[in-house]
Amino acid sequence: MSDETLSNLLREERRFPPPPELAAAANVTSEVYQRAAADRPAFWAQQARRLSWATEPKQTVDWSNPPFAKWFADGELNVAYNCVDRHVEAGLGDRVALHFEGEPGDTRDLTYAQLKDEVCKAANALTGLGVEKGDRVAIYLPMIPEAVISMLACARIGAPHSVVFGGFSAEALATRIDDADARVVITADGGWRRGKPSALKPAVDEALTRPGAGRVRSVLVVRRTGQDVAWHEGRDVWWHEVVEAQSAEHEPQAFGAEHPLFILYTSGTTGKPKGILHTCGGYLTQVSYTHHAVFDLKPETDVYWCSADIGWVTGHSYIVYGPLSNGATQVIYEGTPDTPHQGRWWEIIGKHRVSLFYTAPTAIRTCMKWGEEIPARFDLSSLRVLGSVGEPINPEAWMWYRKNIGGDRCPIVDTWWQTETGGMMISPLPGVTATKPGSAQTPLPGIAATVVDDEGREVPNGSGGYLVLTEPWPGMLRTIWGDDQRYLDTYWSRFQGRYFAGDGAKKDDDGDIWLLGRVDDVMLVSGHNISTTEVESALVSHPKVAEAAVVGATDPTTGQAIVAFVILRGSAQDSDELTAELRDHVAKALGPIAKPKRILTVAELPKTRSGKIMRRLLRDVAENRELGDVTTLTDSTVMDLIQTKLPTASSED
Ligand code: ATP
Ligand code: MG
């Protein structure tokens, strides 16, 4: 990316120093960065002591065969024991682990002691179904306590799980079952979504008729909605019959630190999902430490809530493994944020006095669209730290989050990481960092990241390029399941000896890192590299725009031309004057080169099931191509609507 373009892009002058009380009592202080950088393996070895090991590791990182890392390889532990049993043994059995809120309004609290019993019963049930150490189990469940219990039960018996998001189709489920060669599937009759029962079991039944997925022996079915289900005698069993009949005693066995913990497929924002493999010891060390450090978790007093689904890595690392290994009390919620009303989330925060809240920019922009009067009706005074993950957060959305949810008092941690990294990598620390709206800022202690140019040279401050990770880290993926070559090609071939994340980034004058979106999305306009993220942020900074997606479409004169798709806020009306105004607004913020050639107002944007904008599909439309892989798209009618809109596009110069 060319420096001159980046240097005139969005400048953010505001800084928000940490609240003094929070800083004074923070879990992590600024001296940690230096200590960690001086000896990274020693730093992570120290963090590994956060866990209970059956055999303490003497080794730290083994990087003798890069990029195939081993961490703490001679150590042995049981991940479920670390997330549940040890808290009960420490006398915390009565602490609530999960406050479950069902969408219809039903609730269920599980203490650590109760969670332990449920996990043991489920572990016994899986063993009874013939699941052995190393066997893969697919989990296709709504956001109910059984999802957490199932994951921990698998971890407990050393059977790697592959969680598939409950919104995926039978086809997507079948390919994931096939790829991981799972022999048992855990599902439910359905879950509650937008006030209605939404079936899951039929998708499993259909998936299992496909070649490849036909090797599944057993389907364990949770009764959640009570809807009718087709039943395959000899294959299907009810959770409430099989699991409930088990003993709550189960001796956890210790597994090597490098034993596989789970396979998880990426969101599919850029293409076909990849089966990312994570192992036990290093992964748990990193998610435990980062959850403690980045949320400043005080397990005795905090109530934590991550709104992600268990089907994404955020749900794995920051609902299940990080928080539970730290003995946190947390909320899990089954449904959508607008059922039965658009204040449902804020109502839940008030009810449980949630103090730490973690969500995604897409959700924040949706709430912006609904209007700030909605959160204003609820008591959000318990909040103390807010987190963001999944996409770059536009400065405007960051400010909205800070003001309307955080009461202008809570630090925001914008956490950059990926399914592949296992845990958070770049983020402010709430008691240390003076935060900047829109920037993830600093690699966490023990993490080494930088921005390089095309030739792999580190760029100076004030310049942009490619985000790379320069040292192995404990939670890193070990490979792509069954495809070491794809692992090498995807992440390790672009820059010698460095992990290439696939994201563009810049370093500002202070050396803080700003994420600029996928490198595949970067536009080349008249010889200038322009990041989609920055044009989108400029659009979202206009008071009438709630959300924007920008792509570069082939153009005979400029190489690529900027095409923007925008969703307007609440009452704003589409007009030629408004599109002209928006184009000028972008030109003023970023310079005339970044002015979109066309702006189309749309009702919805194509998103992955995890809520991320799928620019590659918009690029296909803008260039009149057939759409690429749409299996991870939430709603295919969105693309039809957008396609009908295109030929009538106005506002060209
Ligand atoms: P696929 O790899 O299949 O295309 P995906 O990259 O969307 O899917 P995830 O692992 O869920 O799958 O997402 C990781 C990506 O999300 C990062 O590479 C980055 O592009 C984006 N991301 C996550 N957190 C942030 C953040 N705080 N700021 C900017 N971007 C982020
Ligand atoms: Mg990715």
Side-chain angles (χ1 to χ4, degrees), residues 266-270 274 390-392 414-415 418-419 503 518 612:
T266 55
S267 311
T269 313
T270 54
K274 304 168 275 282
E391 288 178 291
D414 173 10
T415 62
Q418 310 177 296
T419 309
D503 286 346
R518 321 296 178 136
K612 302 182 194 209

Side-chain angles (χ1 to χ4, degrees), residues 578-629:
L578 179 61
T579 25
E581 191 180 315
L582 293 179
R583 296 174 69 237
D584 289 343
H585 181 77
V586 174
K588 229 179 272 153
L590 303 179
I593 187 81
K595 192 170 176 170
K597 181 161 185 194
R598 332 169 80 167
I599 296 186
L600 297 146
T601 58
V602 292
E604 291 294 340
L605 290 168
K607 291 189 179 164
T608 61
R609 314 248 166 180
S610 57
K612 302 182 194 209
I613 299 171
M614 284 168 96
R615 290 177 196 76
R616 63 184 165 86
L617 296 183
L618 293 172
R619 210 157 45 225
D620 292 343
V621 193
E623 296 185 338
N624 280 320
R625 256 197 316 272
E626 211 176 296
L627 297 184
D629 183 7

Side-chain angles (χ1 to χ4, degrees), residues 468-482:
V468 293
L469 304 170
T470 56
E471 298 286 340
W473 65 100
M476 66 193 280
L477 77 166
R478 297 308 193 250
T479 189
I480 292 177
W481 180 254

Side-chain angles (χ1 to χ4, degrees), residues 264-274 276 312-314 358 361 388-393 413-421 426-427 438-440 467 486 490-491 499 501-504 514-521 533 608 610 612-613 615-616 632:
L264 180 63
Y265 294 82
T266 55
S267 311
T269 313
T270 54
K272 184 174 174 281
K274 304 168 275 282
I276 303 301
W312 313 122
V313 73
T314 307
Y358 196 22
S388 172
V389 62
E391 288 178 291
I393 176 164
V413 288
D414 173 10
T415 62
W416 179 87
W417 59 293
Q418 310 177 296
T419 309
E420 293 88 338
T421 68
I426 305 177
S427 169
S439 174
L467 183 69
R486 192 170 175 211
T490 311
Y491 307 108
Y499 173 91
D503 286 346
W514 295 67
L515 276 305
L516 299 178
R518 321 296 178 136
V519 291
D520 315 3
D521 290 339
T533 302
T608 61
S610 57
K612 302 182 194 209
I613 299 171
R615 290 177 196 76
R616 63 184 165 86
T632 59

Side-chain angles (χ1 to χ4, degrees), residues 237-443:
V237 289
W238 283 113
W239 179 286
H240 61 265
E241 288 173 2
V242 170
V243 176
E244 288 315 314
Q246 301 294 323
S247 151
E249 297 299 316
H250 181 274
E251 192 63 37
Q253 202 190 321
F255 301 107
E258 285 297 337
H259 185 70
L261 179 61
F262 64 83
I263 302 164
L264 180 63
Y265 294 82
T266 55
S267 311
T269 313
T270 54
K272 184 174 174 281
K274 304 168 275 282
I276 303 301
L277 177 69
H278 284 289
T279 58
C280 295
Y283 169 81
L284 196 63
T285 298
Q286 186 171 338
V287 297
S288 171
Y289 173 70
T290 50
H291 185 252
H292 158 86
V294 174
F295 281 102
D296 191 46
L297 173 80
K298 310 283 196 260
E300 303 77 27
T301 48
D302 276 319
V303 178
Y304 167 80
W305 181 19
C306 166
S307 73
D309 191 275
I310 219 91
W312 313 122
V313 73
T314 307
H316 284 58
S317 301
Y318 298 105
I319 293 178
V320 181
Y321 295 111
L324 295 177
S325 66
N326 289 336
T329 293
Q330 66 180 316
V331 170
I332 62 172
Y333 171 56
E334 178 184 29
T336 58
D338 53 351
T339 307
H341 57 81
Q342 293 177 337
R344 183 74 191 267
W345 278 9
W346 321 125
E347 185 176 65
I348 292 173
I349 288 179
K351 173 178 172 191
H352 290 289
R353 308 290 301 153
V354 171
S355 52
L356 313 173
F357 182 58
Y358 196 22
T359 193
T362 181
I364 298 165
R365 291 188 303 255
T366 301
C367 294
M368 278 168 71
K369 191 168 61 181
W370 291 340
E372 60 190 50
E373 57 290 353
I374 292 171
R377 286 189 215 122
F378 298 90
D379 177 7
L380 304 178
S381 62
S382 53
L383 288 169
R384 117 185 149 77
V385 179
L386 300 176
S388 172
V389 62
E391 288 178 291
I393 176 164
N394 321 98
E396 194 68 21
W398 195 104
M399 289 302 297
W400 190 95
Y401 193 26
R402 180 179 160 90
K403 172 168 169 271
N404 297 290
I405 308 305
D408 271 328
R409 104 194 143 257
C410 305
I412 296 179
V413 288
D414 173 10
T415 62
W416 179 87
W417 59 293
Q418 310 177 296
T419 309
E420 293 88 338
T421 68
M424 297 167 183
M425 302 295 281
I426 305 177
S427 169
L429 287 176
V432 176
T433 316
T435 54
K436 297 178 183 175
S439 174
Q441 295 185 278
T442 320

Side-chain angles (χ1 to χ4, degrees), residues 137-141 147 150-151 154 161-165 184-186:
V137 174
I139 298 178
Y140 184 66
L141 282 171
S150 298
M151 290 164 73
C154 289
H161 53 70
S162 164
V163 182
V164 180
F165 174 58
V184 170
V185 180
I186 307 179

